[in-house]
Amino acid sequence: MNVLHRTTPDELASEIGEEIAAYIVKAREGTLQLEVGGGGKYGKVKNRS
């Protein structure tokens, strides 16, 4: 969990790529919007960049 919560955005991007790092940063900031799943469907990211 330290990696998700304390690693800098640049360090994340160098290891996992810019797109996934941006999602993690948005989740940290509370701005990542998700569509709720249900009825056998998974939820998904709403505000894809």
Side-chain angles (χ1 to χ4, degrees), residues 8-44:
T8 67
D10 289 336
E11 290 174 325
L12 284 171
S14 71
E15 294 296 323
I16 60 174
E18 294 281 335
E19 185 177 10
I20 302 300
Y23 290 146
I24 292 171
V25 170
K26 285 181 181 180
R28 287 177 180 175
E29 296 169 346
T31 60
L32 185 67
Q33 295 179 350
L34 302 172
E35 288 183 27
V36 179
K41 293 187 178 186
Y42 290 104
K44 55 186 171 180

Side-chain angles (χ1 to χ4, degrees), residues 18-19 22-23 26 45-49:
E18 294 281 335
E19 185 177 10
Y23 290 146
K26 285 181 181 180
V45 175
K46 204 182 238 186
N47 56 342
R48 294 188 66 140
S49 46

